[in-house]
Amino acid sequence: MTFVIDSLLVVDAQELSQTQLCQCLGAWGYPAIAAADPERAWAEVQHHPLRPVLLNLTTSREMALTLLGKLKTTPGFEITPVLILATADTLTAFAWDEYPNIVDYCTEAIATPAFQTRLQFALGKIPIYQQQSEQAWQTQQLFHSLIDNLPLAVFWKDRQSVYLGCNQNNADILQLPSPAAIVGKTDYDLQVSADVAHLFREYDHQVMQLDTPQCEIAEVIAQADGRHDYTTSKIPFHDRWGNVAGILGICEDITARKKAEEALRETEKYERDVHIGRQIQADFFPKILPNLPDWEVAFHFSPAREVAGDFYDTFPLIHGWAGFVIADVCDKGVGAALFMALFRSLIRSFTETNTSITWDDVIYYADDKPLTEGVQRRRRQRASPSIAETALTKGIGLTNNYIATTHSETNMFATTFFAVLDPATGILKYINGGHEPPVIVGKEGTIKCRLKRTGPAVGMIPNAKFKVEGIQLEPGDTLIAYTDGATDARTPDGELFSEKRLFSVIEEGYAPVGRILDRIVTRLRNHIADADQFDDITMLGVQWSPLAKE
């Protein structure tokens, strides 16, 4: 940018010297505009801030100081060049170096060749001064534009920890109306406690004394919306001679980050706990399936979450009988998993205890004497239906009453299918407490019937009635029970797998029960594809070998 002097502003309170000076300047080719009072002078400067000002200190000292003070303190007017006219004595007593707008001075008498020479020399320096001032102004504007657009709080202080400025983010933190409000203040003047202000100053002095930056200083400031945590980096800056002149501070609000980190730690802790819960829950499932001659037993379990509300169980009863349970606790997640463990433990405990105590003596003893093997076998055959009914009614009935009365406020219940099988005869007795009706598949591979509900969900109604039903299985028959997670499995578009698809897969062809379940699982996975699994999927299969009576 090229700077051209097109006119000068003469500020002089004496009319005689003002007129004489304007005439000389005009004769030397410099048009001049005069101002005899501070208001007119300041108005002219505001109108044309790049125009050089000749300020007569000898005749207008008070006005000169007023104008120099305004130029020094008003942003944007550091580019206005000032030439001081004064006698040598006046100039000696004047601290002209306190005013950055002063470019030069003239002590020669007006209207003399020496004055003209000195004036021309001084005016020759003004374009250089103006170019330097413009560069400094642009640098300052760039600096302010940078800090005002940073997502951080920025401030700077002098050697005595007095604020020289800040950006809007820092003003907001300290609840100031604008960045200008911080100028000239110390931390003790702001809305922070004395202890916090003292700590801030200690860090300031440490950085300046050591002339070494300190990064990520932890600081806490109370604000209108609560306590905020910050990390502050303080960096010393220097004057042109290399001396520490103050510090630049960059402050980041890490409150949200700390909360996020704390939430992450809590999430990780929760996930660890849930993982442990899943391992514990896995221990409730049977590790070894019952070894029943001529029978095959298979299960599939796929939880939708880390822990599940579905469960299955199988356990031996007295003298070769076996119990099979599949159930779906209402709701999902940790709560359902806790009740799953409770339901499973109660059903197994009540069933095993009541069955062994009730029937062992009836079958094997009379008058405290052991019966012969033939009598034992006949009594066992007659007692089989009664033993099954006792196991079912006690296991389900006592569990139902305990949950419905002891945990009534939780409103937790489980749809439950509980069956007791006599593998020697193929008699299957069961209670279906509100569960999806299992299917019986014949050796031809078609569905023969479904085992309908015989009572409400377990744990829902105190003293609920559960009817025991039975079916005579034939060699080659297969029992397949499942939870609603199988039929309710969804595609990414929300289409259900449905009973129709499930039964179609089951009837694709007779196979060992383990293969049938694998076939269903494959179709379910293809159906779900990359969608999230909606619910736990659990299946139970029990199959009597078609060669059992051959």
Side-chain angles (χ1 to χ4, degrees):
M1 181 181 292
T2 302
F3 294 90
V4 178
I5 300 175
D6 56 0
S7 62
L8 300 175
L9 174 62
V10 175
V11 179
D12 194 334
Q14 280 193 2
E15 183 178 355
L16 179 62
S17 59
Q18 179 189 110
T19 302
Q20 186 182 16
L21 186 57
C22 287
Q23 290 175 348
C24 290
L25 293 173
W28 296 335
Y30 297 109
I33 297 174
D37 60 78
E39 290 77 15
R40 171 69 189 281
W42 180 240
E44 288 294 337
V45 169
Q46 289 178 304
H47 177 67
H48 195 339
L50 291 176
R51 178 168 51 198
V53 178
L54 272 65
L55 198 54
N56 195 334
L57 187 64
T58 303
T59 61
S60 316
R61 182 181 180 85
E62 184 175 348
M63 184 168 59
L65 293 176
T66 299
L67 183 59
L68 287 171
K70 282 189 175 183
L71 291 173
K72 179 181 178 180
T73 58
T74 306
F77 288 90
E78 57 276 353
I79 59 174
T80 303
V82 175
L83 298 177
I84 295 294
L85 307 181
T87 62
D89 294 340
T90 304
L91 192 62
T92 301
F94 178 66
W96 65 279
D97 56 341
E98 294 182 6
Y99 301 97
N101 292 76
I102 298 176
V103 178
D104 209 342
Y105 57 90
C106 295
T107 57
E108 289 76 13
I110 298 174
T112 63
F115 176 75
Q116 181 181 4
T117 301
R118 178 66 177 171
L119 180 64
Q120 289 176 336
F121 173 77
L123 292 176
K125 294 166 62 176
I126 286 177
I128 299 174
Y129 165 82
Q130 288 180 320
Q131 186 172 9
Q132 291 174 342
S133 297
E134 178 64 17
Q135 290 175 345
W137 182 83
Q138 289 178 354
T139 300
Q140 187 180 51
Q141 289 299 108
L142 178 63
F143 172 73
H144 283 288
S145 176
L146 175 64
I147 67 169
D148 286 341
N149 288 281
L150 282 175
L152 304 170
V154 183
F155 61 88
W156 51 103
K157 301 178 181 179
D158 66 14
R159 196 71 174 80
Q160 287 71 45
S161 289
V162 176
Y163 281 96
L164 300 174
C166 73
N167 66 356
Q168 187 61 52
N169 288 336
N170 196 77
D172 292 340
I173 290 173
L174 298 173
Q175 303 175 51
L176 297 172
S178 69
I182 204 172
V183 177
K185 290 183 169 61
T186 69
D187 290 311
Y188 293 98
D189 301 320
L190 303 175
Q191 295 186 28
V192 297
S193 68
D195 290 341
V196 171
H198 181 70
L199 184 63
F200 289 173
R201 176 160 291 195
E202 286 294 318
Y203 282 123
D204 293 350
H205 289 176
Q206 189 174 7
V207 169
M208 288 186 282
Q209 287 173 2
L210 298 177
D211 193 9
T212 302
Q214 285 198 14
C215 300
E216 296 190 351
I217 302 168
E219 296 177 342
V220 178
I221 299 178
Q223 294 181 241
D225 58 347
R227 163 191 163 131
H228 281 245
D229 294 283
Y230 295 88
T231 57
T232 301
S233 297
K234 295 185 175 181
I235 306 164
F237 64 84
H238 306 82
D239 59 22
R240 70 183 65 184
W241 297 281
N243 300 315
V244 175
I247 61 164
L248 174 69
I250 302 173
C251 185
E252 180 182 6
D253 188 340
I254 61 169
T255 306
R257 188 174 76 194
K258 287 190 70 173
K259 289 181 178 178
E261 289 172 350
E262 180 63 26
L264 179 60
R265 285 192 293 271
E266 289 296 320
T267 299
E268 289 174 345
K269 180 179 181 297
Y270 171 78
E271 289 177 348
R272 285 194 301 271
D273 292 343
V274 170
H275 181 68
I276 293 171
R278 183 170 188 175
Q279 291 177 321
I280 294 172
Q281 187 179 45
D283 290 336
F284 284 100
F285 297 126
K287 299 293 187 297
I288 301 175
L289 298 181
N291 182 17
L292 304 177
D294 296 324
W295 291 84
E296 180 185 352
V297 179
F299 291 94
H300 172 78
F301 173 68
S302 176
R305 301 182 184 178
E306 281 291 324
V307 290
D310 281 13
F311 72 94
Y312 65 89
D313 197 13
T314 178
F315 47 90
L317 298 173
I318 61 171
H319 312 301
W321 297 318
F324 298 93
V325 182
I326 184 170
D328 182 359
V329 178
C330 66
D331 207 355
K332 299 178 180 66
V334 175
L338 291 173
F339 272 88
M340 162 264 166
L342 181 59
F343 274 101
R344 178 264 185 194
S345 300
L346 290 175
I347 291 173
R348 177 181 280 227
S349 177
F350 287 144
T351 301
E352 291 176 337
T353 301
N354 286 281
T355 304
S356 60
I357 292 176
T358 305
W359 291 103
D360 194 56
D361 290 343
V362 173
I363 295 173
Y364 295 97
Y365 296 91
D367 299 327
D368 295 326
K369 295 179 181 180
L371 299 170
T372 64
E373 184 176 344
V375 174
Q376 289 178 8
R377 182 169 58 253
R378 288 192 297 274
R379 286 197 174 191
R380 181 175 181 272
Q381 290 173 345
R382 290 195 302 270
S384 181
S386 299
I387 292 174
E389 292 187 10
T390 300
L392 292 166
T393 54
K394 294 295 184 180
I396 293 296
L398 294 174
T399 299
N400 175 77
N401 288 340
Y402 179 86
I403 297 294
T405 55
T406 307
H407 299 285
S408 59
E409 293 183 359
T410 62
N411 295 317
M412 298 296 285
F413 56 87
T415 64
T416 308
F417 177 79
F418 180 19
V420 173
L421 172 67
D422 183 354
T425 64
I427 293 175
L428 183 78
K429 293 286 186 174
Y430 64 90
I431 287 178
N432 185 341
H435 197 73
E436 299 293 317
V439 296
I440 303 296
V441 183
K443 62 183 179 181
E444 298 81 12
T446 57
I447 295 174
K448 296 168 62 175
C449 65
R450 301 186 70 182
L451 308 184
K452 297 181 180 180
R453 297 180 179 93
T454 64
V458 178
M460 181 179 289
I461 305 170
N463 300 313
K465 301 300 181 182
F466 296 92
K467 185 179 179 181
V468 177
E469 292 287 1
I471 184 172
Q472 175 65 62
L473 299 179
E474 300 295 333
D477 283 353
T478 304
L479 164 70
I480 296 178
Y482 55 90
T483 58
D484 59 5
T487 54
D488 290 347
R490 301 180 182 184
T491 65
D493 295 331
E495 183 181 357
L496 298 179
F497 189 69
S498 75
E499 280 189 347
K500 182 179 179 181
R501 283 193 176 93
L502 177 62
F503 296 165
S504 175
V505 176
I506 290 173
E507 293 185 321
E508 282 184 359
Y510 186 82
V513 67
R515 292 186 188 176
I516 296 175
L517 295 192
D518 289 342
R519 193 162 67 203
I520 296 171
V521 171
T522 299
R523 298 299 179 81
L524 282 169
R525 287 174 177 167
N526 292 339
H527 183 81
I528 295 171
D530 57 355
D532 291 333
Q533 185 175 321
F534 177 72
D535 197 1
D536 305 327
I537 298 173
T538 306
M539 293 183 286
L540 156 67
V542 181
Q543 187 178 71
W544 197 0
S545 170
L547 305 177
K549 290 187 178 181
E550 293 185 3

